[in-house]
Structure formats: C-alpha cells, structure tokens
C-alpha cells in the first residue's frame, strides 16, 4: 500500500525539487511543478501528470499532460532494460531564438553549466528495449527574433509512435510521425529506424509548406518577394551509418511547388507566376566516406501554367536584377582568416530525364523605347531530354513550340550536346507580325511599320571540327511602312530569300540561291512645305562623342591590323529578281501637283559574288508612267573588294509634259511638249569611274509664260534654242570621269555641275556655246578663238572686212543648224577713230572734187570721184589751193612762215565737222551690212533684225535670241 499512496507524494516533491535545482542557473530561475505522480508497484508502472516548467513567472517552457512508463518483468531476468510502454501525451514546448541568436535555453548548455561526467570505457550500459514509444497531442511553439524579420510558427498536434525499439540490436523498429502547423502545413513520416547501428528507411511527406511564411530566413539574401507558393515533398529514403560514415539513398521521390508567385520587392503585381513545378522520380545517393561522386537522378522536371513579366527599362532587364544575389553585410567573413584549401570534391553525377515546360506565358515590355513595346510569347511546349552532368558530350533531345504575339508560331527541335557543343537543330518561324519591330524602328526612323509577316525555316549543324553550318530560307510578306505623315512609303507582296547556306569552315561562306522581290511599291513624296519624305526618314543622331585620347589613338592601328587579318566572308547570290515593282513620285510643293511613276519594274541580277573575278549580269527594265521604256543592263560586282561595273542605263522617249509645273515655276514658261532619251554607259574598274552620259531632248518646246516669281533670270529659252538642232533635238553629251577614292568626286554632283555650266554659258557666252556644240569654231590670224558676237569694221567704213566675213560665214552656218535662233544686230561707232576717219574721207573727196572742177569746169557729179587717184604732187598743190580758199586771209597773214603742206592739211581737217547723226548713220550702215551678208548666206530675213540699241566701237554687235 505504501507504493500506491506513500511513494507518489514523495516522488512528486523530489522531482519538483531536483528539476527546479538542475534547470535553474544564476541568470534564470526555472520552477518545476507537477500536479500528480502515480505509481503502480504491481504493474511496475508510473505516471507523471501535469508537469510544467516556467521561468521567471512566464508561460511554461515545457509542459505535458501525462508521461507514463511501464517496466517489463523480463528486465529482471534479461540483460536489457525492457519497457512495455512509454507514452507522452499533451506535451507543449516553447523554443525562442533571442535577438543575440541564442535559444531561450542557452544557459542550460553553456560551458559554465556543463560538468564533466566520469566515464568508464570498460563499463557497458545495458541495452534498452521499448515495446511501444508514443507521443500524442504534442505542440511546439517556435520563434526567432534574430532574423531581419521576426518569425514564429506552431507545430501541432504532433503524434509519434515507434514499436519494438531496441538499442542493442540492429533490428529496425517500425514507426510513424505526423504533425501540422497553424498554417495548415503537414509533416509525416512512416518507416522504421534503429540506433545500433544508426539506420532508417521509410517515407517522409511534407505538404502545403508555405514559401512566403519562411521569408524571414531567406528574404535578406534575395531581391524578390515570394507572395504565394506551396511546397509538397514525398521522399522515400534509406539512411545507414557506420564507422566509415553515413550513406543516404532516396528512390521514387517527388517534389512539387504549386502556385508560386514572385514579385519585385514591395510590388503587388507578380513578376513570375508558375502554376506548378514538379520534380518526379528522384533518386539520390550520397556516402560521406566514399570518394565516389554524389548521384542525383531526376526523371522529369515540369513547369506548367506559368507567366513571366519580362521588362527592359533604364536599369536593364528586370529578371536579371530580380534574381541577382542581394548585397549582404558580412563583416565577420571579411575579417576572418581564409579556410585551408580542401581537396576538391568529385563533381556530382546529375542526370535529368526530361525538363518540360507547358503553357508558359512571357509578357514582354520594353520601356526604353519612345513608344513602349508591349507583347507576349506563349510557350505551348518545350522540352529537353537526357541531360547528364557527367556526359555533357551526349546530345540533348530538344523540342519547342511557342506562339509570339498571338499570331507568330515558332517550332524547333533537334539534338544538342553541351560540351563540346555539337548537334543538329531545325526551326520554323511563321506568321510573325513585323509590327513588333515598329517601336524599335521608330527609335531611328520617322516611319511606322503598318503590317508585315516574317517566316523563317532553318536547320543548323554544329560541330567542333567543321564549325557552324546553317541552311534555310526566309520571307517577308504583305509588308507596308508609312512615313512620318502617315502616308505610304514602302510596301511589297513578298520578299523571299531562298536556299540560304552558311558554312563557317574551312572558310566562312554564305550562299543564297535567290532573293526575289514581288509587288514592290515605293512612294516618294514632297510635302507642301517642300520636305522630301525619304530625306526625313532618319532621326537626328546622338551628339558626336569626344575625340579619342592619345592612348586610344595609339592602340587603334593595332586593332585595325587585327581586323584586316581576319578572313573575309565569301558571299554568293545566285539571282536577285524584281517582279511587278513600282516607284511613285508626287510633289505637292508645286502647283499643279507633279505625279510620275516608274511602273512594271522587272528584271534580275544574276551571279553576284564577293570574289574579285566574278561579274554579275544585270538586266532590269521598267516603264515611266506606264509608257516610256527604261532599262539597266550590263555587269557589276558590288560585293568584291575591287568594285567593278559595266552598265548601260537607257530611257526611251519619256514624255516631258508631266514636268511642266517645274518648268513653269523655275524657268518661267510651261512645257509645250517634248520627250526625253537618256543613254548612260558607266564603267568602274580599279575604283576609277568613266561615264559617258548622253541626254537627248526631242521636240522640246517651251509654252506660255507663267510670270513665276521663282523663275530664273538665266536665259533658259536661249539655251534651248542654242542646243536644239534643225531636227528639233537637244543632245547633251556629258562625259564624267573620276576616282572613287577622291572625297571631292561625286557622280551626281558632277552631272549637275556640267548641266549647270551649259545654262550659265548660254547666259554669258552664247556664241561660244553655239560653236562648241556644233564643233565649228575657228581661230583668228592671231590664234585666238573667233568671237562671233561682233563684226569689226575699219575706221569710218561700213563694209565688212575679210575677217568679219569669215566669222559671219561661220555664224550663218550655225544659224542654219539652229533654226530656232534669232539674231539682233546693233551697229556701233567709235567717236574718235570713226570721226577722224570720216574727216579724212571727206577731205580726200574735197581734193578730188577740186581737181575735177579745175579740169572739167565744174561739170562732174558728186560721187564720181571714188575711182580717182591723185598723184602726190597734184595732191600737194590742191591742198594749197583749198587752204587759200577755206582759211580766212587774216588767219593766213598771222603765220610767221609759209605753212607746209602737212600743216595746211591738218588745218583743213579741223575745219571739217562730223556730228552724231553722221556717226549714227555709219553705225546703221554697218548693222545693215551684217544683215545683208547673213541674208545673202541663206539666213531668213525674219530671223535677223536690226536693234535700235547702239553698240560701242567700230563694229556691229550680234545678240542671239
């Protein structure tokens, strides 16, 4: 009876006293309290009920409802402690990690508290054998205040049972464990275990583990927030420990992560969301004592129903920043001594049967663009099979099927080994909308991609020895681009690049069978304010960068030499074809609006190659406004280092009437008609250009005057008349030569300069232009070029001298070749030389008349003296007679000595008066002489007029009109 009633109170007091004593420290006083102790000496059992251990009057650190133990009678006759049952019910414990990182029971295990226990190596404790060990309805509260964010959780109820547990034999004791948390997480174990030696096998299950809940443990190490996600683990394992180490094996295990949501720090919208990540058929093997590499086999890793927000902004790619390690402060690691280098561990042997992705959406945003790009790609299926870390040279089987922007489809597949990289991959991209590139294009061009579809087929072979080889084709269909004003700029039905083949070795080469452009339509517009749409395409570039430093300038030649030494890519293109092309031109800056087009552009360039010896054949034809043929034929080699071309460009009978608004504005007259013919032959060899440019205007006629304020003051009408021959053609032969290496030489500028010179010459030297065009120029006796713009006369004469007749003969011939030209003639005189000459003529006539009067009694008519020649003696006598008659006697008397014949002649000449009327009559007579001469030479009288405007000098001035 004492065992039933006396012993329990005594045991209760002793237990409370001893527990309080041993669980208290100088810093913390812990009090143990027990409600009741029960002892059954007959059943060899006891129980402790209502135990609680509190510290400093707080909530209990440890408590239980009851702890029962019963001894097996076989203990008395065996060499082991045998217990029928140990049962713990209603256990509750509280574990708290304090801000200093120590647990709330750290004082119990400190060095000061620990007392050495004497051991007897020769003494061996008796084995323990428990038939049943159980823990029911247990609960553990855990909190950690040492983390950047406080953490707490509650595990319970916890139930644990193990049967036939022994420490003296290797037999495995079956058991099971189950627990839940306040957030619905579950943890269970079913299996068996032993302690001599330590071993266990069984199955561990973790369910609904809330990833977000454990943020305090990892949040400071990452840059993202996990806002949702549940982890499930099913682990089938075997563990065995011996003197050599620990061996761990798992088989047929699974890990699943559901409803994962990851967002950028502090943002509510997820950046990554994955419906399920599943790792199945996991097998692992690790042995701590063996040099063999750890083994990990995963049958399949699957990602299902995911979504990723991929954003590019000024900071870069958001996911790259999101998954980069967070900066952490670790002063201890910075100051601690480096650990001694350990022997390198063998690389783990990791194999994955398949990595599969299904229904994965990638939402793409590029915020770096002026107009942010928003689109998405959906991975329908993606897989990679047969990965082995130990056999990276074994090929992976790869497959991909995805949609881009809802409409584009990409399918790819093949085999690829990682190291060395080797394999075969094929891909097909179809129906990709090119409007995706519009935001990027608009960064550089004032244009907008309105529509277009890209398709690509390619197959690539990668081999370390033979390098990369790619074969395929691509096309862009239904393409259209609009300019900055929203008007059409460029479109086509199909641009196809067929049979592309690239080979990296032995020498890099790309071969294209055909590039075909069908249904191309180009629109060139000039807006009402004079802006050319294609000239406004390019946006303003960034400001020029600072000049390189002296150091960089020094290194530049070395870099250039390295680049120059690299082998050149060989490019061959079998054929470039154009079919049904059109270029339309509209100028709205002029009234009426000018509209022209180059239609039916068809042709081919065959045999293009970057080899210097190759020459491609060119044959392209079109029609201006659907009528006038245009052709470009010959040979070129634009891809070679030594650029070569031998081309002929021709336009046949293109109507000039559509250009009439330009003539009305800039020439001041409309176009009444005419056609254009162009024949250009251009050769380029050794970077030297030699071009023959023949431009023919047939039946070119100006129409009405427009009175345009923008009209040039240059005589364009005269230029036309000068250049147009008797058949109504204007033929301009403009040869151009120059080196392509000369920065001052530009072909188009040279042609414009030559044509401008012709107009300028028509204004400044029309006769020189006329003789030059006709090739009828001559030289005077002095060797100078003949000036057909004037006919010189001897002083006082109105008859043409021989030199003037020669020039006028050439002029008459030229006028015969240019029937549209008219000539205005202005007579002129020199007041000094012509007056002196006229006096001499008058004086000579007076002498002859005096002579005739002496010999005929005054019966000679005027003008009959022209053929009379006077002897010098007679002329001297007649001078004296006239002197006596015409000089007053008083003036003669004043002479101190008799005057000489020369003095008398000079005095008589001074008495002759020549007035302006007489000089004007001389000028008019000279103009008439020129007119009559030209008429006699066949020039129509209607084309030669006498101008009322006097010329200057003893000549007749000629003006072409």
């Amino acid at each position: 009876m004492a065992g039933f009633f006396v012993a329990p109170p005594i045991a209760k007091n002793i237990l409370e006293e001893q527990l309080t004593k041993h669980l208290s420290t100088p810093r913390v006083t812990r009090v143990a309290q027990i409600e009741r102790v029960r002892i059954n000496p007959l059943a060899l059992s006891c129980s402790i009920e209502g135990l609680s251990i509190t510290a400093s009057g707080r909530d209990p650190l440890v408590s239980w409802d009851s702890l029962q133990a019963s001894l097996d009678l076989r203990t008395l006759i065996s060499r082991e402690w045998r217990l029928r049952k140990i049962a713990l019910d209603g256990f509750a414990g509280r574990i708290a990690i304090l801000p200093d990182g120590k647990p709330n029971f750290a004082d119990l295990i400190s060095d000061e508290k620990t007392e050495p226990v004497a051991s007897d190596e020769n003494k061996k404790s008796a084995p323990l054998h428990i038939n049943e060990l159980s823990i029911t309805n247990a609960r553990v509260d855990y909190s950690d205040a040492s983390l950047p964010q406080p953490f707490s959780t509650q595990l319970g109820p916890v139930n644990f049972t193990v049967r036939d547990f022994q420490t003296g034999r290797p037999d495995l004791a079956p058991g099971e464990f189950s627990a839940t948390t306040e957030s619905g997480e579950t943890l269970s174990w079913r299996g068996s275990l032993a302690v001599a030696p330590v071993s266990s096998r069984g199955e561990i299950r973790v369910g609904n583990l809330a990833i977000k809940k454990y943020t305090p443990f990892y949040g400071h190490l990452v840059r993202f927030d996990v806002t949702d996600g549940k982890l499930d683990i099913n682990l089938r394992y075997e563990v065995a420990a011996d003197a050599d180490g620990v061996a761990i094996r798992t088989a047929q295990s699974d890990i699943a992560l559901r409803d994962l949501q990851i967002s950028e720090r502090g943002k509510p919208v997820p950046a990554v969301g994955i419906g399920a990540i599943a790792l199945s058929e996991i097998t692992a093997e690790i042995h701590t004592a063996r040099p063999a590499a750890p083994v990990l086999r995963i049958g399949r890793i699957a990602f299902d129903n995911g979504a990723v927000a991929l954003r590019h902004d000024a900071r870069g790619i958001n996911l790259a920043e999101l998954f980069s390690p967070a900066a952490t402060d670790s002063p201890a690691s910075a100051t601690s001594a480096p650990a001694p280098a350990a022997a390198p561990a063998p690389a783990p042997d990791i194999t994955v049967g398949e990595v599969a992705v299904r229904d994965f959406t990638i939402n793409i945003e590029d915020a770096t663009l002026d107009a942010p790009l928003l689109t998405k790609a959906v991975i329908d299926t993606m897989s990679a099979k047969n990965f082995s870390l130990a056999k990276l040279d074994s090929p992976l089987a790869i497959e991909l099927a995805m949609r881009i922007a809802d409409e584009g489809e990409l399918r790819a597949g093949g085999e690829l080994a990682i190291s060395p990289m080797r394999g075969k991959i094929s891909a097909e991209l179809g129906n990709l909308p090119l409007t995706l590139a519009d935001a990027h294009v608009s960064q550089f061009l004032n244009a907008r991609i309105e529509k277009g579809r890209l398709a690509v087929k390619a197959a690539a072979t990668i081999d370390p020895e033979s390098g990369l080889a790619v074969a395929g084709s691509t096309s862009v269909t239904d393409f259209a681009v609009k300019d900055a004003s929203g008007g059409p700029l460029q479109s086509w039905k199909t641009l196809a690049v067929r049979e592309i083949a690239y080979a990296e070795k032995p020498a890099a080469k790309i071969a294209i069978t055909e590039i075909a452009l069908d249904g191309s339509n180009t629109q060139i517009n000039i807006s009402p304010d004079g802006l050319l749409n294609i000239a406004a395409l390019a946006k303003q570039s960034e400001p020029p960068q600072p000049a390189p430093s002296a150091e960089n300038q020094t290194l530049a030649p070395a870099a250039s030499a390295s680049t120059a030494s690299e082998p050149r890519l060989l490019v061959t293109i079998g054929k470039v074809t154009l079919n049904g092309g059109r270029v339309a031109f509209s100028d709205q800056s002029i009234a009426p609006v000018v509209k022209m087009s180059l239609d039916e552009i068809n042709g081919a360039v065959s045999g293009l190659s970057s080899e210097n010896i190759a020459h491609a054949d060119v044959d392209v034809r079109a029609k201006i406004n659907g009528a006038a043929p245009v052709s470009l034929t010959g040979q070129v080699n634009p891809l070679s280092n030594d650029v070569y071309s031998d081309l002929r460009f021709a336009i046949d009978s293109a109507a000039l009437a559509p250009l009439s608004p330009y003539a009305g504005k800039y020439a001041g007259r409309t176009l009444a008609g005419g056609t254009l013919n162009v024949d250009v032959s251009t050769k380029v060899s050794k970077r030297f250009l030699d071009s023959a440019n023949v431009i023919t205007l047939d039946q070119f006629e100006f129409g009405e005057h427009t009175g345009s304020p923008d009209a040039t003051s240059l005589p364009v009408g005269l230029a036309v008349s000068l250049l147009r021959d008797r058949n109504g053609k204007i033929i301009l032969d403009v040869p151009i030569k120059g080196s392509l290496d000369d920065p001052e030489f530009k072909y188009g500028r040279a042609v414009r300069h030559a044509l401008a010179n012709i107009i300028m010459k028509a204004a400044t030297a029309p006769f020189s232009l006329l003789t030059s065009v006709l090739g009828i120029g001559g030289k005077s006796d002095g060797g100078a070029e003949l000036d057909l713009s004037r006919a010189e006369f001897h002083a006082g004469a109105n008859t043409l001298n021989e030199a003037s007749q020669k020039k006028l003969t050439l002029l008459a011939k030229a006028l015969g070749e240019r029937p549209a030209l008219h000539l205005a003639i202005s007579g002129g005189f020199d007041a000094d030389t012509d007056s002196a000459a006229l006096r001499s003529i008058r004086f000579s006539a007076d002498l002859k008349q005096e002579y005739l009067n002496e010999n005929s009694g005054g019966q000679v008519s005027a003008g009959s003296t022209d053929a009379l020649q006077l002897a010098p003696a007679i002329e001297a006598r007649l001078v004296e007679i006239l002197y006596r008659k015409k000089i007053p006697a008083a003036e003669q008397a004043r002479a101190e000595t008799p005057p000489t014949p020369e003095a008398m002649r000079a005095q008589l000449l001074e008495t002759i008066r020549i007035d302006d009327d007489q000089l004007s009559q001389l000028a008019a007579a000279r103009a008439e002489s020129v007119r009559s001469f030209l008429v006699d030479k066949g020039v129509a009288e209607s084309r030669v007029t006498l101008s009322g405007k006097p010329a200057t000098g003893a000549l007749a001035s000629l003006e072409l009109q």
Side-chain angles (χ1 to χ4, degrees):
M1 297 298 290
F4 284 100
F5 300 106
V6 177
I10 295 173
K12 173 180 176 295
N13 293 332
I14 292 173
L15 285 172
E16 287 179 337
E17 180 180 344
Q18 291 300 315
L19 287 173
T20 299
K21 175 181 177 182
H22 287 88
L23 294 178
S24 297
T25 66
R27 288 180 292 170
V28 180
T29 300
R30 295 180 176 87
V31 177
Q33 293 180 327
I34 300 174
E35 290 182 5
R36 181 183 299 111
V37 175
R38 296 178 186 271
I39 298 175
N40 187 340
L42 298 178
L44 299 179
S45 65
C46 71
S47 65
I48 301 173
E49 301 175 356
L51 170 73
S52 66
I53 298 173
T54 60
S56 302
R58 299 178 183 175
D59 293 338
L61 297 174
V62 175
S63 67
W64 64 62
D65 292 340
S66 68
L67 172 62
Q68 297 179 2
S70 59
L71 187 67
D72 193 326
L73 286 175
R74 285 176 290 183
T75 301
L76 302 176
I77 60 175
S78 67
R79 296 182 178 181
E80 62 180 1
W81 288 97
R82 295 182 68 98
L83 297 171
R84 292 196 306 273
K85 184 176 183 179
I86 296 177
L88 177 64
D89 182 55
F91 174 85
R94 181 166 57 88
I95 301 174
I97 305 299
L98 304 176
D100 60 1
K102 296 179 180 180
N104 53 352
F105 51 83
D107 58 313
L108 294 175
I109 56 177
S110 63
D111 292 338
E112 294 81 358
K113 186 72 178 178
T114 303
E115 297 180 1
V117 178
S119 62
D120 186 354
E121 295 182 357
N122 296 322
K123 184 178 181 180
K124 200 170 184 180
S125 62
L128 177 66
H129 188 165
I130 304 173
N131 291 343
E132 181 180 354
L133 172 64
S134 68
I135 300 174
T136 56
N137 297 317
R139 186 183 77 250
V140 177
D141 293 330
Y142 177 85
S143 64
D144 192 338
S146 68
L147 300 173
Q149 302 176 40
F151 173 79
S152 65
T153 188
Q154 184 180 85
L155 189 65
V158 177
N159 297 288
F160 172 68
T161 302
V162 64
R163 292 173 296 278
D164 200 22
F165 177 77
Q166 305 178 60
T167 62
R169 299 180 61 181
D171 297 344
L172 293 172
E176 58 187 29
F177 172 89
S178 66
T180 60
T181 69
E182 83 289 351
S183 54
E185 300 160 308
T186 62
L187 175 63
S188 66
W189 168 79
R190 182 184 296 273
S192 57
L193 55 85
V195 296
V198 175
S199 63
S200 177
R201 70 165 59 97
E203 181 178 4
I204 298 174
R205 289 180 177 270
V206 178
N208 291 322
L209 189 69
I211 305 301
K212 179 182 179 181
K213 174 180 173 181
Y214 299 94
T215 300
F217 290 97
Y218 63 81
H220 61 290
L221 302 175
V222 298
R223 296 179 183 271
F224 54 81
D225 292 334
V226 176
T227 58
D228 198 0
K230 300 292 191 297
L231 180 65
D232 299 326
I233 300 175
N234 181 18
L235 181 65
R236 297 177 176 89
Y237 74 94
E238 287 185 16
V239 177
D242 55 25
D244 295 330
V246 179
I248 303 174
R249 297 180 181 87
T250 68
Q252 298 301 312
S253 301
D254 304 303
I255 300 175
L257 181 59
R258 298 174 284 109
D259 301 325
L260 178 64
Q261 300 284 334
I262 297 176
S263 65
E264 297 180 45
R265 182 63 45 89
K267 294 185 178 180
V269 179
V272 177
I274 304 176
I277 303 176
L279 286 73
S280 57
E281 301 177 18
I282 302 173
T283 300
E285 183 174 346
I286 302 174
H287 200 298
T288 59
R290 294 178 185 174
V295 176
L296 175 62
R297 305 275 189 265
I298 303 176
R300 190 169 188 265
I301 302 175
F303 298 82
D304 288 333
N305 193 24
V308 172
L310 181 63
R311 188 180 73 255
H312 181 208
D313 55 24
R315 297 183 301 176
I317 303 297
N318 66 324
L319 296 186
E321 180 181 1
L322 193 68
F323 293 107
S324 62
T328 57
D329 297 329
S330 53
S333 62
T335 58
S336 61
D349 181 7
I350 301 175
T351 62
V352 179
E354 180 183 11
V355 177
V357 179
R358 185 178 62 184
D359 297 333
F360 212 91
T361 300
I362 305 172
N363 296 299
I364 302 169
E365 176 186 2
D366 193 340
T368 64
L369 306 175
D370 295 338
L373 171 66
L374 296 173
T375 188
K376 69 177 181 178
V378 178
I379 300 175
D380 294 323
T381 59
M382 181 175 70
S383 69
K385 298 178 180 179
N386 307 323
F387 170 81
S388 173
L389 184 62
K391 298 179 180 179
L392 294 179
D393 57 344
S394 297
L396 300 175
I398 299 173
E399 291 185 1
L400 170 66
M402 67 183 299
R403 290 168 287 135
I404 305 173
D406 294 328
E407 302 173 45
E409 295 183 355
L410 173 62
R411 297 187 178 275
E415 294 185 342
L416 183 65
I418 298 175
S419 180
M421 188 167 287
R422 182 195 309 269
K424 295 181 179 180
I425 302 292
S426 63
E428 182 174 351
L429 174 65
N431 209 34
L432 181 68
L434 288 179
T435 50
L436 291 176
D438 181 60
H440 291 276
V441 170
S442 63
Q443 292 290 102
F444 308 99
L445 300 177
N446 292 309
R448 184 175 65 84
I449 299 177
E450 182 184 17
K451 59 181 180 177
R453 304 285 175 178
L454 173 66
V456 179
K457 289 184 178 180
T461 300
I462 306 171
D463 186 86
E465 289 76 28
S466 58
L468 174 66
V470 181
S473 60
T474 183
S475 65
V476 176
T477 57
D478 196 23
F479 179 77
V481 175
K482 291 188 175 182
D483 59 22
S485 67
L489 177 64
Q490 177 66 59
S491 64
W492 62 68
K493 293 180 180 178
T494 304
L495 172 61
V497 184
R498 301 187 176 101
E499 297 183 26
I500 307 169
Y502 170 79
E504 183 181 11
K505 295 179 180 180
K509 177 181 180 180
I510 182 168
I512 300 173
T513 300
E514 182 181 11
I515 300 176
L517 180 60
D518 292 338
S520 172
N521 194 329
T522 304
Q523 183 69 50
I524 302 174
N525 292 331
I526 299 178
S527 63
D529 57 1
L531 183 63
L532 181 64
N533 62 341
I534 58 174
L537 274 180
K539 288 190 173 181
Q540 294 295 326
S541 59
E542 295 294 329
Q545 297 297 319
S549 64
E551 179 182 359
N552 292 338
Q553 291 177 350
T554 303
L555 295 177
S560 300
S562 173
T563 303
S565 65
E566 294 178 0
R568 187 169 182 266
L569 177 66
L570 175 62
V571 179
T572 61
I573 303 174
K575 182 184 291 187
V576 178
T577 59
L578 303 174
N579 183 32
R582 184 174 187 268
V583 178
F585 173 78
S586 173
D587 188 349
Q588 302 176 45
S589 68
I590 197 167
V593 174
V594 174
K595 291 186 177 182
M596 297 182 67
S597 62
L598 188 63
D599 305 305
E600 301 178 33
I601 303 174
N602 300 286
V605 180
S606 305
L608 284 167
S609 174
S610 59
E611 291 183 321
N612 291 336
I613 60 174
H615 294 162
D617 295 321
V618 179
D619 188 355
V620 179
R621 302 178 186 276
K623 292 182 179 180
I624 297 177
N625 293 335
V630 179
S631 64
L632 178 65
T633 57
Q635 290 186 324
V636 295
N637 189 359
L639 303 179
S640 169
N641 282 333
D642 183 14
V643 178
Y644 171 86
S645 70
D646 185 357
L647 294 172
R648 181 174 182 267
F649 174 72
I651 299 176
D652 186 10
S653 301
L656 293 173
L659 299 176
S660 181
Y662 290 118
K665 181 175 182 178
Y666 298 111
R669 296 176 67 182
T670 60
L671 291 181
T675 59
L676 171 68
N677 294 274
V678 176
D679 189 352
V680 177
S681 296
T682 301
K683 293 184 178 181
V684 176
S685 181
K686 306 297 183 182
R687 301 195 58 78
F688 186 84
L689 179 143
D690 186 353
S691 178
N693 307 274
V694 179
I695 302 171
T696 302
L697 303 176
D698 194 3
Q699 307 306 316
F700 181 87
E701 293 285 348
F702 277 121
E704 300 175 352
H705 288 276
T706 63
S708 171
D710 299 315
T712 180
S713 59
L714 295 175
V716 290
L718 174 60
V720 170
S721 297
L722 283 168
L723 297 172
R724 187 170 55 216
D725 63 18
R726 65 173 63 194
N727 298 317
K729 294 183 177 181
I730 298 175
I731 301 175
L732 302 176
D733 189 351
V734 185
I736 301 295
K737 295 182 179 182
S739 171
L740 299 182
D741 295 325
D742 182 359
E744 299 299 321
F745 176 73
K746 295 292 185 293
Y747 176 81
R749 184 168 60 187
V751 172
R752 291 192 301 270
H753 183 69
L755 295 177
N757 279 346
I758 292 175
I759 303 298
M760 187 60 67
K761 199 168 185 179
T764 58
F767 288 95
S768 177
L769 174 62
L770 180 62
T771 57
S772 174
V773 170
L774 296 176
I776 60 173
K779 294 184 179 295
S780 65
D781 295 338
E785 294 288 338
L786 290 178
D787 184 2
L788 301 188
S789 66
R790 54 193 291 168
E792 293 86 356
F793 288 83
H794 294 309
N798 60 9
T799 57
L800 294 167
N801 56 38
E802 183 179 353
S804 293
Q805 291 182 28
K806 179 180 178 182
K807 292 196 291 184
L808 292 177
T809 300
L810 290 175
L811 180 58
K813 180 179 179 182
L815 292 174
E817 296 295 329
R818 294 293 183 265
L821 284 175
H822 289 72
L823 193 66
I825 306 172
S826 300
F829 60 85
D830 185 294
D832 294 332
T833 59
D834 281 333
S835 294
L838 288 176
R839 290 190 185 95
S840 296
I841 294 171
R842 179 80 61 80
F843 181 68
S844 178
D846 288 346
L847 290 177
K848 293 177 180 180
Q849 188 63 45
E850 184 65 29
Y851 175 78
L852 293 175
N853 290 340
E854 288 182 350
N855 294 283
S856 60
Q859 300 299 316
V860 180
S861 62
S864 60
T865 62
D866 293 343
L868 180 62
Q869 297 293 327
L870 298 176
I874 296 174
E875 183 175 316
R877 181 179 61 78
L878 293 173
V879 168
E880 185 175 356
I881 293 173
L882 288 178
Y883 178 79
R884 301 300 178 190
K885 287 182 178 181
K886 294 186 176 183
I887 300 302
E891 188 175 343
Q892 295 180 27
R894 285 198 295 271
E896 297 180 357
T897 58
T900 63
E902 290 73 14
M904 288 186 288
R905 176 187 293 272
Q907 197 167 357
L908 286 171
L909 286 172
E910 290 179 0
T911 63
I912 300 174
R913 297 288 179 264
I914 303 299
D915 55 26
D916 291 342
D917 288 341
Q918 293 172 312
L919 292 173
S920 297
Q921 292 172 7
L922 175 62
R926 288 171 170 172
E928 178 59 31
S929 294
V930 173
R931 191 193 70 81
S932 298
F933 184 88
L934 292 174
V935 171
D936 291 343
K937 290 295 183 180
V939 180
E941 290 189 27
S942 60
R943 298 176 60 196
V944 184
T945 60
L946 299 178
S947 173
K949 181 174 63 176
T952 301
L955 51 81
S957 176
L958 311 179
E959 180 182 359
L960 290 172
Q961 296 179 335

